Amino acid sequence: MAADECKIKVVCRVRPLNDKEERARSKSVVKFPSDHDDKDYVFDKVFRPDATQEKVYIEAAKEIVEYVLKGYNGTIFAYGQTSSGKTHTMQGVLNKENEQGIIPRIVQDIFNHISTFSTSNLQFEITVLSKTNLAVRDDKNRVPSVKGVTECVVSSPREVFKTIADGKKNRHTAVTNMNEHSSRSHSVFLINVKQNNVETEEKLKGQLYLVDLAGSENVAKTDAAGQMLNEAINNNLSLFALGNVIKALVRKTLTDGPKPYIPFRDSKLTRILKESLGGNARTIIILCCSPASISESQTKSTLKFGQRVNKELTAEEWKRHYEKECEKAARLEKQLSLAEAESEQWDKERTKLHQQIDEQVNRQDI
């Protein structure tokens, strides 16, 4: 699939109706057609409301663990409106195994993988960073870094969970009409895995950004005002910038001609994620949606965001596939022409040889 070639995967998760929506007698407006039906939105994977946390992790995110342990970078981020299930998908409930989200499951998997390696020659260093309310600065080499953050060296999943919990306490939330605990800031969780092979002196470093984005909001529905309104506008602008970066990366990966400009510097978030988006990095976009009729417009907006990425992939991939097939057809036509010319030459040689044989036989008869 195109998503595999350009290392961008888009999945969608639809949560069940919540208590507030049921009290408002809101109906579920999301339908899941069969494979034989026409579909308005198509993604690499779609998770229905009854999908467990484990199922979402295994089928959407688990593959990225081995990739990071091989020294590559990756990013997983949850995108959707306020109260669509992003934090539940990314973090879940840390102290309940069945309800843990992607971040704690990835952490556990990384430590499990490391424990299976022969540690006599390998040395591992795992550091984590958990940050909200992003403030970014550039060093003298114009490399962006997050201000006011100290990376923590960790030796167990429990230590990582503590870092997550500490970061959660600092996350700015506020009450809106859409959500009683609406996140007003992006939450970025970074795992650095450094490997050192003592015997070969080979060193590998993989980075994995796990991002719980602030909600994309219809400002009119939230009744936000003052500082909250400014925050909502800034968050929406940041999400818009992220969408532009993703689309530009898709074009860059699938285009053989001049490479498009990637607008990483348009927001703090995209500046931070620069090293883990594009190139050899893997990106997994998880669209989180509410099925409720009262959220229909915002759900459609979320789905269209993911569909734009997929359509970009599909259109460019078919174009490239068509161009490759044309090149292949041209090569085959050239080979066929050469073969026909060679066959014609052999026919001439065979006719000439038959004539020589006939002449020699005629001389012997005389």
Side-chain angles (χ1 to χ4, degrees):
M1 291 185 62
D4 292 330
E5 289 196 19
C6 75
K7 303 179 180 66
I8 296 176
K9 183 163 79 171
V10 184
V11 305
C12 175
R13 185 183 195 184
V14 181
R15 64 159 173 76
L17 290 169
N18 61 30
D19 292 340
K20 183 178 180 180
E21 291 163 343
E22 289 181 343
R23 287 196 301 269
R25 297 183 180 180
S26 187
K27 303 293 184 182
S28 177
V29 294
V30 178
K31 295 181 180 179
F32 302 92
S34 68
D35 291 338
H36 304 291
D37 295 335
D38 291 333
K39 305 172 183 68
D40 292 329
Y41 304 96
V42 180
F43 304 108
D44 294 289
K45 188 75 181 177
V46 175
F47 298 100
R48 302 189 180 208
D50 61 352
T52 63
Q53 294 281 70
E54 182 181 24
K55 179 181 176 67
V56 173
Y57 172 65
I58 290 174
E59 297 184 14
K62 185 179 177 68
E63 64 187 45
I64 210 167
V65 172
E66 290 187 15
Y67 198 72
V68 171
L69 289 174
K70 290 177 181 177
Y72 296 100
N73 295 342
T75 300
I76 301 176
F77 64 83
Y79 179 95
Q81 75 174 92
T82 295
S83 190
S84 60
K86 299 185 303 297
T87 301
H88 177 70
T89 296
M90 293 301 291
Q91 296 186 15
V93 183
L94 296 180
N95 58 1
K96 293 184 179 180
E97 187 173 339
N98 290 338
E99 296 184 33
Q100 287 181 344
I102 286 173
I103 294 176
R105 291 175 187 272
I106 276 185
V107 169
Q108 189 67 59
D109 250 5
I110 287 176
F111 278 97
N112 288 345
H113 273 70
I114 290 174
S115 67
T116 64
F117 294 149
S118 172
T119 56
S120 57
N121 295 324
L122 285 176
Q123 296 176 342
F124 288 90
E125 179 184 329
I126 300 177
T127 58
V128 296
L129 173 157
S130 183
K131 178 65 176 173
T132 61
N133 308 319
L134 303 177
V136 183
R137 65 182 175 191
D138 290 340
D139 63 18
K140 61 182 181 181
N141 298 317
R142 293 177 65 83
V143 176
S145 60
V146 185
K147 292 172 64 176
V149 169
T150 302
E151 291 190 3
C152 305
V153 179
V154 293
S155 59
S156 70
R158 180 173 293 183
E159 292 181 8
V160 180
F161 296 165
K162 183 180 183 302
T163 304
I164 296 173
D166 290 343
K168 222 173 167 184
K169 291 176 185 176
N170 297 324
R171 194 169 192 190
H172 187 188
T173 63
V175 176
T176 71
N177 281 353
M178 300 295 292
N179 188 359
E180 291 183 2
H181 303 285
S182 175
S183 297
R184 314 306 305 158
S185 60
H186 305 305
S187 174
V188 178
F189 185 75
L190 169 64
I191 302 176
N192 272 316
V193 182
K194 298 178 182 178
Q195 302 176 51
N196 180 29
N197 191 312
V198 179
E199 193 173 276
T200 65
E201 296 186 352
E202 180 186 19
K203 294 183 179 181
L204 295 175
K205 179 182 178 182
Q207 283 189 334
L208 178 58
Y209 278 95
L210 301 158
V211 187
D212 180 4
L213 295 170
S216 60
E217 295 180 339
N218 183 331
V219 176
K221 280 191 175 184
T222 62
D223 280 349
Q227 183 181 350
M228 285 175 57
L229 176 61
N230 290 332
E231 288 172 345
I233 292 172
N234 288 333
N235 286 336
N236 285 346
L237 289 173
S238 177
L239 295 172
F240 180 74
L242 177 62
N244 287 340
V245 166
I246 294 292
K247 287 188 286 184
L249 287 170
V250 172
R251 294 193 194 102
K252 180 179 180 180
T253 307
L254 298 177
T255 302
D256 295 327
K259 303 302 181 184
Y261 167 72
I262 312 297
F264 283 114
R265 297 190 66 82
D266 283 2
S267 77
K268 296 175 183 178
L269 179 66
T270 51
R271 286 168 66 190
I272 293 170
L273 298 180
K274 181 177 180 180
E275 296 304 315
S276 290
L277 289 173
N280 288 324
R282 293 290 174 99
T283 302
I284 298 173
I285 303 169
I286 303 176
L287 308 173
C288 295
C289 301
S290 162
S293 53
I294 58 174
S295 300
E296 183 175 357
S297 62
Q298 287 297 95
T299 294
K300 283 183 176 179
S301 176
T302 298
L303 295 173
K304 285 177 181 177
F305 172 84
Q307 189 76 329
R308 281 197 298 271
V309 175
N310 260 15
K311 280 186 176 179
E312 196 85 48
L313 290 169
T314 305
E316 289 290 345
E317 179 60 18
W318 275 111
K319 178 183 176 183
R320 190 167 72 171
H321 178 71
Y322 172 76
E323 291 171 349
K324 285 184 177 179
E325 289 299 314
C326 287
E327 291 175 3
K328 182 179 177 181
R331 287 196 302 270
L332 291 174
E333 284 181 5
K334 185 176 180 180
Q335 291 174 7
L336 180 60
S337 298
L338 291 173
E340 288 175 343
E342 189 176 350
S343 176
E344 185 178 347
Q345 183 64 31
W346 277 107
D347 286 342
K348 289 179 180 179
E349 292 292 335
R350 186 171 61 251
T351 301
K352 183 178 179 181
L353 181 60
H354 285 163
Q355 289 175 348
Q356 290 175 348
I357 292 173
D358 290 341
E359 289 175 1
Q360 189 173 1
V361 169
N362 289 337
R363 287 197 197 99
Q364 289 176 353
D365 289 343
I366 296 172

